[in-house]
Amino acid sequence: MAVSRRLFVTTAAALVASSGTSVALASAASASSGEPWYRIPVSPDDSPDELVRKASRVRPTERQIAWQALERTAFLHFGVNTFTGLEWGTGDEDPDVFQPVGLDTDQWARALRDGGFKLAILTVKHHDGFVLYPSRYTKHSVASSSWQGGQGDVLRSFADSMRRHGLKVGVYISPADENQYLHGVYANGSARSEHTIPTPVPGDDRPDGPTFTLPATDYGAHMLDQLYEVLTEYGPVDEVWFDGAQGRIPPDKVETYDWDSWYTLIRTLAPDATVAVSGPDVRWVGNEGGLARENEWSVVPVQEKANGRMDFALSYDAPDMGGRDALVAAQPVADHLQWWPAEADVSIRDGWFYHADQQPKSVQQLTDIYFGSVGRNAVLLLNVPPDDRGLLPAADVTRLREFRERVDRELPEDLARGAHITRSTGTITVDLGTPREVNRIRLAEDIRHGQQVETFVIETHTGGAWRQVTSAGTIGASRILLLPTPVSSQRWRLRVTTARRPPRLSVFTLHRSHPEIF
């Protein structure tokens, strides 16, 4: 195994030395060679037309395509806050407060699977620094609790259960760490220097594996060590979720995160994992209400910040993130146009952690969120917090099932299945053979060819002429239109009226919801 270790040291060090950023951000060469890719440089000299032309050439990576196809993903906020009643812990909690004596991660997985979710993300470490697995690099973990005699490992149980029930595995490891601040590691002002990862510890019983030499602060190295543990000891990880939170510490104490080194480690150890939302693969939609913009672009202007962090060129909550006006408005600060699709996060309850006095959102609220996220070219990330027993509350489990059933009734069988379909550039015509009532329309572009549609109309053929039923802007990976009242027609047409390049349309389905059984 020693040869393998040396090989990985050379590879990782070379990546950092040659690019100064992570593997994920080293795509400019592809773009500059004229080949379309997920990140294309822009210049202050680019005309508005040139900006649009460049945007039309941006393409998603395979991992981004797979992530956007998930549609519904879940968050599980669980930790010491579950037992203290806080939303943001202090870092000095007694680990023995963590006592989920009824922990059943199979119950979590069944409930999420039955709710239509495809991936779940566990808060392996929240801002308080408490870790849900026995880490070698902190005592603020499950190993310091009397729960299961100090042998408990929530991450192990979670990962095994999710895979057993067909869900993908995601991990959230907060960049902030109140506990490490109390121990003089987080935000201690240390300069970046070369660190060997994993950091050797006495009595380490791990088998030989890859090592890395990466630049990091003292705390950055601590994060690298924990990422290494999670990504090498718990099976394949499909998403690594970061936010950009700083600890609740004095304002003159700031930790500049080692994003480039963290990305390099993830890309090497988990090359198929999506890195979100302080990451190069997925961006935050800009609110915690689970709602995307009416016209949500996956191609947006970005700028690179300290240590290779990808950041918004416009405000994170800008009403237009990637339209023609937005491309021009971002030009003074944008470095690139990038495929950076939106994740819309929201909690099923008011808080992110479980609180006994809170109740889950109604089926109608969740349905509105679904249409406002998945229906607008975003992926929904719904938080469902386990309670202090280590179970998803019965009310939440029921609501998840009801939510899936409601979506199924909102979008029942495709009435266009088996219909006569004709296609031309930017147009799809469907002949149902007989008039059918429709009030839900689902659309998608083949995003392997980028996101191109800027405006379109839906029409029906009535009285010998095509008449407009509705219109909208972007499509992207998923667009769902809700007609206020059902429209009956035999012939339906989707016609793109404005596009950056000739679009590739992959989905045009027609549905009649069944409100009488809601």
Side-chain angles (χ1 to χ4, degrees):
M1 292 297 288
V3 174
S4 174
R5 281 179 177 268
R6 286 196 296 270
L7 175 63
F8 271 81
V9 168
T10 302
T11 303
L15 285 168
V16 174
S18 65
S19 68
T21 60
S22 73
V23 178
L25 304 179
S27 64
S30 256
S32 62
S33 70
E35 293 297 323
W37 192 229
Y38 97 119
R39 189 165 179 252
I40 294 178
V42 292
S43 161
D45 299 326
D46 288 337
S47 68
D49 287 345
E50 177 64 10
L51 291 172
V52 172
R53 189 186 71 82
K54 287 185 174 182
S56 74
R57 292 171 50 222
V58 177
R59 301 290 185 269
T61 64
E62 290 298 323
R63 71 173 67 87
Q64 289 172 317
I65 292 171
W67 178 83
Q68 288 188 261
L70 294 173
E71 293 192 354
R72 277 174 275 186
T73 61
F75 224 161
L76 295 153
H77 274 66
F78 189 52
V80 287
N81 292 348
T82 307
F83 299 86
T84 62
L86 300 177
E87 284 286 304
W88 189 313
T90 56
D92 58 358
E93 299 88 356
D94 180 352
D96 207 43
V97 72
F98 186 78
Q99 295 287 337
V101 294
L103 181 73
D104 185 351
T105 54
D106 279 328
Q107 185 244 12
W108 303 0
R110 288 191 300 270
L112 295 175
R113 178 200 62 197
D114 294 345
F117 293 84
K118 305 293 180 58
L119 175 147
I121 302 169
L122 176 67
T123 54
V124 175
K125 185 190 79 168
H126 203 249
H127 311 325
D128 47 74
F130 186 82
V131 179
L132 295 184
Y133 71 95
S135 173
R136 300 163 181 81
Y137 300 99
T138 180
K139 293 183 178 179
H140 203 49
S141 80
V142 290
S144 296
S145 168
S146 61
W147 173 64
Q148 294 192 359
Q151 301 302 307
D153 189 334
V154 179
L155 176 56
R156 176 81 60 199
S157 181
F158 163 79
D160 290 348
S161 292
M162 295 304 135
R163 296 190 190 103
R164 186 157 48 241
H165 293 276
L167 279 78
K168 293 180 179 295
V169 172
V171 294
Y172 166 33
I173 303 176
S174 172
D177 196 316
E178 303 282 1
N179 182 262
Q180 289 301 305
Y181 176 73
L182 296 174
H183 285 82
V185 179
Y186 182 80
N188 67 4
S190 59
R192 296 222 310 170
S193 61
E194 296 294 311
H195 288 261
T196 298
I197 305 297
T199 301
V201 294
D204 194 342
D205 59 353
R206 281 177 289 192
D208 282 353
T211 62
F212 300 79
T213 301
L214 295 165
T217 64
D218 293 346
Y219 176 71
H222 176 81
M223 276 285 290
L224 285 166
D225 282 327
Q226 291 193 322
L227 282 165
Y228 187 97
E229 289 177 316
V230 170
L231 298 178
T232 59
E233 298 180 45
Y234 291 89
V237 171
D238 302 287
E239 183 168 339
V240 179
W241 201 96
F242 295 122
D243 54 20
Q246 287 280 336
R248 290 185 174 174
I249 55 179
D252 60 329
K253 300 286 187 179
V254 174
E255 176 71 35
T256 301
Y257 298 133
D258 296 302
W259 299 109
D260 48 4
S261 295
W262 299 352
Y263 297 160
T264 294
L265 191 76
I266 296 165
R267 285 290 188 248
T268 308
L269 294 177
D272 295 328
T274 301
V275 185
V277 296
S278 285
D281 296 322
V282 173
R283 64 179 165 88
W284 181 39
V285 77
N287 63 74
E288 293 185 344
L291 300 178
R293 295 161 183 82
E294 179 67 29
N295 293 303
E296 192 70 71
W297 286 96
S298 294
V299 180
V300 298
V302 298
Q303 58 179 324
E304 189 173 314
K305 294 290 187 67
N307 299 337
R309 181 188 178 181
M310 198 52 52
D311 206 350
F312 299 94
L314 297 170
S315 173
Y316 66 86
D317 59 354
D320 178 7
M321 193 60 75
R324 290 177 182 247
D325 291 345
L327 299 181
V328 173
Q331 196 170 16
V333 297
D335 302 317
H336 295 81
L337 299 179
Q338 178 166 312
W339 194 275
W340 210 25
E343 179 181 77
D345 61 326
V346 65
S347 186
I348 197 170
R349 294 169 173 245
D350 290 341
W352 291 94
F353 287 89
Y354 172 80
H355 304 283
D357 60 345
Q358 297 177 358
Q359 294 299 314
K361 290 178 169 61
S362 69
V363 174
Q364 185 61 55
Q365 287 175 303
L366 293 175
T367 304
D368 291 343
I369 287 169
Y370 174 84
F371 286 127
S373 55
V374 177
R376 295 179 179 172
N377 190 39
V379 170
L380 171 61
L381 177 61
L382 180 66
N383 179 64
V384 189
D387 63 19
D388 54 6
R389 300 169 298 169
L391 298 172
L392 297 187
D396 299 40
V397 172
T398 298
R399 193 56 40 83
L400 291 175
R401 186 188 69 251
E402 292 171 339
F403 173 40
R404 190 212 72 228
E405 291 171 349
R406 172 67 179 269
V407 171
D408 290 346
R409 293 196 299 268
E410 288 275 1
L411 296 167
E413 74 282 357
D414 175 19
L415 300 176
R417 184 185 298 274
H420 179 69
I421 299 174
T422 58
R423 296 174 179 265
S424 60
T425 302
T427 302
I428 302 177
T429 304
V430 175
D431 189 329
L432 300 177
T434 186
R436 303 291 298 273
E437 281 194 344
V438 170
N439 66 346
R440 304 287 184 259
I441 302 168
R442 184 156 198 169
L443 311 168
E445 294 179 68
D446 183 347
I447 60 172
R448 294 174 299 175
H449 303 280
Q451 185 179 357
Q452 309 297 350
V453 176
E454 295 177 298
T455 61
F456 66 94
V457 297
I458 300 293
E459 301 165 314
T460 58
H461 198 266
T462 306
W466 287 102
R467 303 180 187 277
Q468 180 174 313
V469 173
T470 189
S471 63
T474 56
I475 295 180
S478 176
R479 186 69 186 249
I480 304 172
L481 304 178
L482 310 180
L483 304 184
T485 57
V487 175
S488 179
S489 182
Q490 176 176 326
R491 297 175 65 192
W492 291 77
R493 184 167 75 179
L494 161 63
R495 183 166 57 86
V496 175
T497 50
T498 312
R500 294 175 172 179
R501 280 191 175 188
R504 305 287 188 93
L505 302 170
S506 60
V507 173
F508 179 27
T509 61
L510 306 172
H511 309 267
R512 174 64 164 95
S513 64
H514 301 297
E516 66 277 4
I517 58 174
F518 288 170

